[in-house]
Amino acid sequence: MSDPNETPAPKRRGLKIALALSLALNLAIVGLVGGAVLGARGGFGDGQRDGPPALRTLGLGPFVVALDREDRAALRGRIEAEADPLREERRAIGQALRAVQAALLSDPFDRGAAEAAFTQSRARVVSLQEVGHGALLDQIETMSPSERAALAENLNRVMRRYGGRR
């Protein structure tokens, strides 16, 4: 006869499947966040992995669409001038995501390590956004009142189109 204290195999198998699916989902989320933060394409679509980050990864999403071509190019120029510090921030975000990955793979799960890595990553993302917002404000300062009004109208259209107001 079998041992009455032994757990039936189907329950163990189900638990293993659930844990594997949970790990896969967590890794997928970390990958998506990492890809978004690091700019999966790197640069501005020029294929350089170590170039300046895309404008959208600097917290400028709607403005990328709302700015006219010349202002967008000038903004890119301002950000390219900050390429070295931004590259270091992106590397630090990558290191933090690798630390999260290590915590996900640890047994038992190391919540403290994952939380510390997320805290570090969040601080770096905020730093990237500060650079992006500062460059955008510098660009806006160069605009005339009519250019700023046109930007505001374009931004309004972008926000309506992407769910701000219908």
Side-chain angles (χ1 to χ4, degrees):
M1 282 181 87
S2 65
D3 184 2
N5 293 329
E6 188 176 54
T7 305
K11 287 186 180 179
R12 272 195 226 156
R13 188 175 320 138
L15 180 61
K16 286 181 181 180
I17 291 170
L19 288 173
L21 288 173
S22 174
L23 177 62
L25 179 62
N26 285 329
L27 288 173
I29 291 169
V30 168
L32 287 172
V33 170
V37 170
L38 296 176
R41 294 172 63 194
F44 301 109
D46 56 7
Q48 296 176 355
R49 288 219 19 96
D50 219 16
L55 295 176
R56 291 177 195 270
T57 64
L58 297 174
L60 304 176
F63 287 97
V64 172
V65 179
L67 286 167
D68 67 27
R69 180 173 290 171
E70 291 155 5
D71 285 321
R72 199 168 32 246
L75 181 60
R76 282 187 183 118
R78 291 176 191 281
I79 290 171
E80 285 172 356
E82 300 285 328
D84 289 337
L86 294 176
R87 192 174 299 116
E88 292 305 316
E89 293 291 336
R90 289 171 54 202
R91 284 188 184 127
I93 291 168
Q95 291 169 349
L97 291 174
R98 282 188 285 284
V100 170
Q101 182 183 27
L104 289 171
L105 296 172
S106 68
D107 189 22
F109 171 66
D110 190 348
R111 181 187 175 109
E115 192 170 4
F118 278 133
T119 298
Q120 180 186 9
S121 177
R122 185 171 42 251
R124 299 300 183 144
V125 169
V126 167
S127 178
L128 285 173
Q129 287 183 335
E130 287 172 349
V131 170
H133 293 167
L136 177 63
L137 288 169
D138 290 344
Q139 185 60 35
I140 291 171
E141 268 188 333
T142 69
M143 295 178 175
S144 69
S146 63
E147 290 171 325
R148 289 194 312 272
L151 175 60
E153 180 55 34
N154 289 343
L155 184 59
N156 187 40
R157 267 183 280 193
V158 169
M159 290 173 16
R160 276 195 316 256
R161 186 179 328 145
Y162 294 107
R165 281 189 297 145
R166 296 205 189 271

